[in-house]
Each structure stands twice: as C-alpha cells, then as structure tokens.
Amino acid sequence: MSALRASLLKAIEELKGEVVTMADLVLNNINESFLAFKTNNLKKAESLMKADDQVDQLEEDISKAALRVIWKEQPYAQDLRVVTGILKLVTDLERIGDHATDIAEQTIHIGDLKNQRLLPKTTIMSEAAYQMVLNAINAFVKQDVKLARQVIEDDDIVDAQFNDVMASVTEQIKNDSIDSQYAVSVIMVAKYMERVADHAVNLAEWTIFMITGEHKKTPLF
C-alpha cells in the first residue's frame, strides 16, 4: 500500500469516528427530548435547548475536515463516495438534533398539561423513530446495505403511527375534549418525530450510496 493510500484511509477512518461521535450525541439528545416530552420533564427540556450548539459545532468541524480530505487526498471512486456521503450524513444528523430541540421547545410550551399527552400513541411513535435512527447509524458503522434498506422500509410504520396520532387529536378536537393550544403542540411534536424518521431514511440512503454508488436507485458514480 502506498503512503498516499495509507494517508487517505487513515483520514477516512478519522472522519468515520467523528461521525459516530456526533451520532452518539444526536441519539442521546433525541432520546432525551422524547423522554422529556413523555414525562413532562421541563427541566430536562430546558437543558436540551442548550445542547444543540455542540451538535452544530460537530457538523461544522466534520464538514470542514471532509472538504480538507477531498482537497488534500484527492480521493476517487469508493473513497470519494464515502467522503461525500459523510458530508450528507452530518447534515441529516444536524437536522435530527434540531428536531430534538424543537420537541423540547414544545414540551416547555405545553407546560403542565401532562395528563393530555396522548400516551401511548406518541410513545410508540417516538420509540420507532429513535430505533430507525439507531439502525441507520449502525448500518453506516457496519456498512450494512441490508440494515440500511430495512430502515427505509420502517419509515412506513412511523408514517402510519403519525396518521394514528393525527386521527386521535382530530377526534378529540371534534369532541371538544382537548385544549386547542395543547392539540397544536402535540401535532407539532408528532410531525417532528416523523421528520426524524425521514432523516433516518436519508442516513440509510447515503450509506447505501457509499457502498454501492447508487442513491435512490440512481447511479451517481
């Protein structure tokens, strides 16, 4: 193996390690935001409002590092796919982090209306969305196409759960059995959960791209 090739592989492995660090933080933040919502933990929600800065900084640092690898190491073929895929991955991870903050904000907005949190429907949905993100990250780490494709398929489950939550809220609005302000917040939280699942799909699709060179069945390299 040439010195240039060894240097490139080392740089790519370092990038992967930084992505895993960012993913661990995002997974923790989204899990904690779901938990704060379910348990009406306003203190936890407030702390999560400040936790997103670290996620944003990691996205910036990894993106700059990836661009330096492209400029300095001039990767091609699969190596280039991995580096460009990482640039896309961190964008979706950052947006998942944003949604953790969004959910925390809505938790604070709802305040003490903990007896109307539409459990267990939102609990089931949040657990499914979280599992999709976790599986997407594992697919990236293991470079596992089969697991990545499973994440994409699982999005239909979360979509169905979102529709279930929406139907429940709509029915309660019709029956005048739910506070209107609270209903809006629950709909927002459910939508953020759905978007988390959508970003998990993006993570899976970019992992498949890294491995196969195809993105959404379109060959790019």
Side-chain angles (χ1 to χ4, degrees), residues 181-207:
Q181 181 179 333
Y182 170 78
V184 171
S185 289
V186 170
I187 290 170
M188 292 296 292
V189 169
K191 187 62 181 177
Y192 294 140
M193 291 178 184
E194 184 193 35
R195 292 298 297 142
V196 167
D198 288 343
H199 287 300
V201 169
N202 290 347
L203 295 175
E205 288 174 341
W206 285 115
T207 293

Side-chain angles (χ1 to χ4, degrees), residues 17-33:
E18 291 169 5
V19 171
V20 171
T21 297
M22 182 180 179
D24 285 343
L25 178 60
V26 168
L27 280 167
N28 178 74
N29 287 357
I30 199 68
N31 184 58
E32 291 294 295
S33 73

Side-chain angles (χ1 to χ4, degrees), residues 145-190:
V145 171
K146 183 178 179 180
L147 182 56
R149 295 196 192 284
Q150 184 61 56
V151 171
I152 295 170
E153 291 178 10
D154 288 345
D155 190 44
D156 290 339
I157 297 173
V158 174
D159 287 343
Q161 291 167 344
F162 173 72
N163 291 335
D164 194 19
V165 171
M166 290 294 292
S168 294
V169 174
T170 301
E171 184 64 24
Q172 291 187 45
I173 291 173
K174 287 180 180 178
N175 296 334
D176 199 25
S177 59
I178 188 172
D179 179 84
S180 60
Q181 181 179 333
Y182 170 78
V184 171
S185 289
V186 170
I187 290 170
M188 292 296 292
V189 169

Side-chain angles (χ1 to χ4, degrees), residues 77-195:
Q78 184 174 3
D79 294 330
L80 181 57
R81 292 203 306 266
V82 171
V83 178
T84 53
I86 284 173
L87 280 168
K88 296 294 186 178
L89 278 176
V90 296
T91 298
D92 280 292
L93 284 173
E94 189 273 334
R95 288 175 181 169
I96 292 172
D98 285 345
H99 291 317
T101 303
D102 292 334
I103 292 169
E105 183 177 0
Q106 288 301 323
T107 298
I108 295 168
H109 184 65
I110 292 171
D112 293 327
L113 295 174
K114 58 185 177 183
N115 61 324
Q116 298 185 45
R117 266 173 161 66
L118 281 176
L119 299 176
K121 293 183 185 297
T122 50
T123 299
I124 293 171
M125 186 178 178
S126 67
E127 289 172 351
Y130 175 83
Q131 190 62 48
M132 282 181 64
V133 178
L134 179 60
N135 287 344
I137 296 304
N138 283 335
F140 165 71
V141 171
K142 299 175 182 177
Q143 293 290 279
D144 187 333
V145 171
K146 183 178 179 180
L147 182 56
R149 295 196 192 284
Q150 184 61 56
V151 171
I152 295 170
E153 291 178 10
D154 288 345
D155 190 44
D156 290 339
I157 297 173
V158 174
D159 287 343
Q161 291 167 344
F162 173 72
N163 291 335
D164 194 19
V165 171
M166 290 294 292
S168 294
V169 174
T170 301
E171 184 64 24
Q172 291 187 45
I173 291 173
K174 287 180 180 178
N175 296 334
D176 199 25
S177 59
I178 188 172
D179 179 84
S180 60
Q181 181 179 333
Y182 170 78
V184 171
S185 289
V186 170
I187 290 170
M188 292 296 292
V189 169
K191 187 62 181 177
Y192 294 140
M193 291 178 184
E194 184 193 35
R195 292 298 297 142

Side-chain angles (χ1 to χ4, degrees), residues 5 8 12 73-83 221:
R5 174 67 176 162
L8 173 58
I12 289 175
E73 306 291 346
Q74 298 183 4
Y76 61 93
Q78 184 174 3
D79 294 330
L80 181 57
R81 292 203 306 266
V82 171
V83 178
F221 279 83

